[in-house]
Every structure is written in structure tokens, then in C-alpha cells.
Amino acid sequence: MDFSLYLAAALAGAAYVLTPGPAFLALLGIGAGQGRRAGLGFIAGHFAGDIVWSALALVAIIGSASLGTLVFDLLGVVCGCYLVWLGTRALRARPGADGRLSSDVRRPYLRGLAFGLTNPKGYPVALAMFTALLAAQAAHLSWAALPPLLAAACAGFLAADVILLWVIGVAPVRRLYRRHELWVTRISGAIFIGFGLQALAHAGPGLLRRS
């Protein structure tokens, strides 16, 4: 394959990671509040979701076939409920006696894994990114191209993750987060609930039609 295809896949992977969404906000809170080590754990867990959704997007582009909507409708309900639950917890956050929120994530890796695999933006955004950069040559792609393209996308994920880890560890970012921690948490919670309700709104009708 032409090198430009690998470059396009890497750029699509980087754009997918850098697109703001629930996981981006969660990483900002974890990284700015608990440091780069916790942020790295979150990103490591989220990486599994990046691979899954990007692989499905590449399968859809290369195969040019529908994978069916049932699995995505079910996943939409699961991730919608999960985000609403997280958002509700964030909106109810209260500072402790020391003035800080007791919202530190004990297992950043597992939180990142959950976000990565239940991210409502996962498949549609990945499909949009890869389609924009690869669809013009989709007719020339074969199944043998899937592994190297996915590897190139992973390189893009890693490059974007390095950028995010640097941003959340910068002193001014951490100071700003600490100064407005409660409001950042509550605003993030409201956004989580919005994403969750949107996921439920998209997935619910499809499931109801099947029933």
C-alpha cells in the first residue's frame, strides 16, 4: 500500500483521541487532579476501546458491509446508563473538611477501560474519522490491509496520548483545575449526563422497534 494510507490512518487515530468527549473530560479531571501517573493508567485502559472501535470502523470501510445495529443499540443503552450514573455522581459532589473533593479515582486503569469500551462517540466518530481520510481509496483496500492500518492508527493513538499526558501535567492546568475543581466536576457531570441521554435517545427507538 501507499505510505500515504498509513499516514492517513495514523492521523485519523490521533484525531479520534483528541476529539473532546466524556473520556477527554474524565482524563482532564483524573490527570489534573491526581497527576500524570493516574492519567497514564486511564489512557492505558482506554487504549483497548480505541483499538476495538477503530477496528470496527476499518472493517466497515474495507468490507463495505453493515455489521447490524443491534449490538450498537445494546451498547448505546449500557454506555448511556453508565454516563448518566457518572454524571449524577459528579453533580452531587461535595468538598470535604479540607475543602477538596473526595472524588479521586482509585483504579484509573479500570475507569479508562470502562470509558474506552462504552464510549458513545467510539464507533461513529472512529468511522467518521477513518472514512474522511480513507474512503476515497476504500475500493483498493483488502482484508490484508486491516492489520497494518490498525497498527498505523495505534501509532496515532499513542502520539495523541503523549500530547494529552503533557497537557494534563502542566502546572498552570493543574492549578486552574484545583482552583475550580468543584465547578469543573459539576460541569463535566452535566456533560456526561447529556452524552448519556443522547446515547439512550439514539439506541432506545431501535430496541423498541425490535420488541
Side-chain angles (χ1 to χ4, degrees):
M1 291 191 302
D2 192 299
F3 176 76
S4 62
L5 279 175
Y6 296 119
L7 180 59
L11 290 174
Y16 169 78
V17 170
L18 294 173
T19 302
F24 181 90
L25 292 171
L27 173 63
L28 176 63
I30 292 173
Q34 298 175 239
R36 283 195 176 111
R37 183 174 180 179
L40 178 60
F42 181 90
I43 283 177
H46 197 277
F47 193 73
D50 296 338
I51 294 175
V52 168
W53 295 122
S54 297
L56 288 176
L58 288 170
V59 166
I61 293 172
I62 294 174
S64 298
S66 174
L67 298 176
T69 61
L70 177 60
V71 64
F72 297 108
D73 287 338
L74 290 173
L75 184 56
V77 171
V78 172
C79 70
C81 292
Y82 177 67
L83 286 173
V84 170
W85 175 73
L86 284 177
T88 302
R89 287 188 61 191
L91 286 177
R92 297 173 60 186
R94 295 289 186 276
D98 60 354
R100 286 198 55 197
L101 295 179
S102 58
S103 58
D104 285 358
V105 177
R106 295 182 180 179
R107 298 179 178 86
Y109 175 81
L110 294 180
R111 178 64 64 86
L113 184 64
F115 261 97
L117 295 176
T118 63
N119 192 342
K121 80 162 190 174
Y123 179 71
V125 172
L127 184 61
M129 295 296 181
F130 284 98
T131 297
L133 293 170
L134 296 175
Q137 302 186 57
H140 305 291
L141 298 178
S142 66
W143 290 113
L146 179 58
L149 284 176
L150 187 58
C154 287
F157 298 153
L158 293 174
D161 288 339
V162 169
I163 294 173
L164 291 180
L165 280 174
W166 175 77
V167 170
I168 63 176
V170 173
V173 173
R174 300 194 67 181
R175 285 197 299 268
L176 181 65
Y177 178 82
R178 287 297 188 192
R179 187 178 302 125
H180 304 289
E181 184 178 15
L182 180 60
W183 283 108
V184 171
T185 299
R186 289 177 175 172
I187 291 172
S188 297
I191 293 173
F192 286 1
I193 291 175
F195 273 100
L197 293 176
Q198 182 183 33
L200 291 171
H202 281 96
L207 294 176
L208 289 175
R209 284 195 296 271
R210 288 185 178 85
S211 63

